[in-house]
Amino acid sequence: MADYDLELVKLRKVYPGGTVAVENFDLQVKKGEFISFVGPSGCGKTTTLRMIAGLESITGGNLLIRGNDYTHVPTEKRPTATIFQNYAIFPHMTVRQNIAFGLKVRKLPTDEVDRRVDAIIEKLELGDVAGEKEASLSGGQKQRLALGRGLVTEPDILLLDEPLGALDANLRKSIQEELKILQRELGITFVFVTHAQSEALSMGDRVVVMNAGRVEQISPPFELYTRPKSPFVARFIGRNKIIEGKLASVDAGNSVLETRFGKLRGVTGFDPGRASTGSKAMAVVPSEYVNILPAGEGKGKDELDTLRGTVTSLDRVGQVVHVAVRMDERLDVRLEVHRDKIAGTEVEPGRQVDLSWRHDRTTIVLDAA
Ligand SMILES: Nc1ncnc2c1ncn2[C@@H]1O[C@H](COP(=O)(O)OP(=O)(O)OP(=O)(O)O)[C@@H](O)[C@H]1O
């Protein structure tokens, strides 16, 4: 029994024109894992998914499914199914015929086709529309039909390329939940491509962040959100406050950064062997961990790092208050705080305030530049 459902080993893709779309992509996926790929447009997410599906040739490296090498195996011989953003539903066929299609192509016996199609229709609650065609289906039903077409072939791995991109925001949310529940029930490995970070984080057991053809970080969502390992991830994921500086001390657990606001401490987010005192780095603090207090009230606790600034604007929206604080001409910090937290205090426009956070919430990230 192979340890992993899917292994990518130094996967590489160069398109005929010379574009290097994917470089040095390593990933190991356990059976039943939900993996999200996220990154800006053109970073290579779709190309990677298409290489796994066998829809795009692999220029270098290896692709293993359950321990077997599939690097150069054609798509129809791979134990994968792909769901595309446009669903690729046949408009002239009914829901039932659409689901059965992939099995008929594989020339399965009729009773086997019927049995599998019935089971999928029941599982995805498509019984009421089994005789309908695409034109009369809702967005959610089309999505489920597309899933049904993939699942009926009983793939080891389901590949989903922005499958919720065409849905409006409310439907998207509810289908995200349905999809996640279904995936857990089925125990099938999902690889899910999206450019929406909230979707990647809410659905994935682990998230792969890609940038310019390379993997930036592979982590579970909370770790990705709170412990970015690169400047790109710090800026792309979450709502981080970033302060640049130079390393004043480095060790495996914690580092100290010398910044224009003084020394800031944090958890070392890089291999300490790769850096030394004086290297460029940044302190990254998720906004959610930053507290705002009237000037002077934030000081004096050893576990806290504190910076002084001036409130430039304050907007109350229901229970939430949006506060903008100018630290200096290069850094404006925007925070959301609960109204009760600052009620009756001197946190008002024009006033000085202290922003403080526990230094173990900070990650010190090496600046590659
Ligand atoms: N068929 C192709 N021929 C040549 N270059 C291509 C081809 N398909 C994609 N590319 C290029 O490869 C790079 C990666 O593209 P890819 O579509 O994989 O990115 P993506 O992250 O999925 O982007 P998006 O979110 O916009 O779909 C881009 O520079 C793109 O222009």
Side-chain angles (χ1 to χ4, degrees), residues 141-161:
Q141 286 165 336
K142 284 186 211 171
Q143 164 67 34
R144 272 182 274 146
L145 170 54
L147 267 177
R149 288 196 359 171
L151 292 171
V152 80
T153 62
E154 300 181 352
D156 292 344
I157 303 170
L158 195 69
L159 306 167
L160 304 102
D161 190 3

Side-chain angles (χ1 to χ4, degrees), residues 45-98:
K45 311 178 289 290
T46 300
T47 300
T48 307
L49 197 82
R50 289 174 62 82
M51 285 195 282
I52 302 170
L55 298 168
E56 205 63 74
S57 64
I58 293 172
T59 314
N62 288 90
L63 174 103
L64 280 75
I65 298 174
R66 299 204 171 163
N68 298 311
D69 196 318
Y70 278 87
T71 312
H72 301 296
V73 173
T75 182
E76 65 277 7
K77 297 212 170 110
R78 294 191 187 197
T80 55
T82 311
I83 295 175
F84 301 98
Q85 177 169 3
N86 63 9
Y87 305 147
I89 294 167
F90 298 120
H92 58 284
M93 290 186 192
T94 63
V95 166
R96 200 183 166 82
Q97 288 165 339
N98 261 288

Side-chain angles (χ1 to χ4, degrees), residues 15-17 19-21 39-48 56 162 193 195:
Y15 280 110
T19 305
V20 181
S41 186
C43 70
K45 311 178 289 290
T46 300
T47 300
T48 307
E56 205 63 74
E162 297 257 0
V193 163
H195 65 262

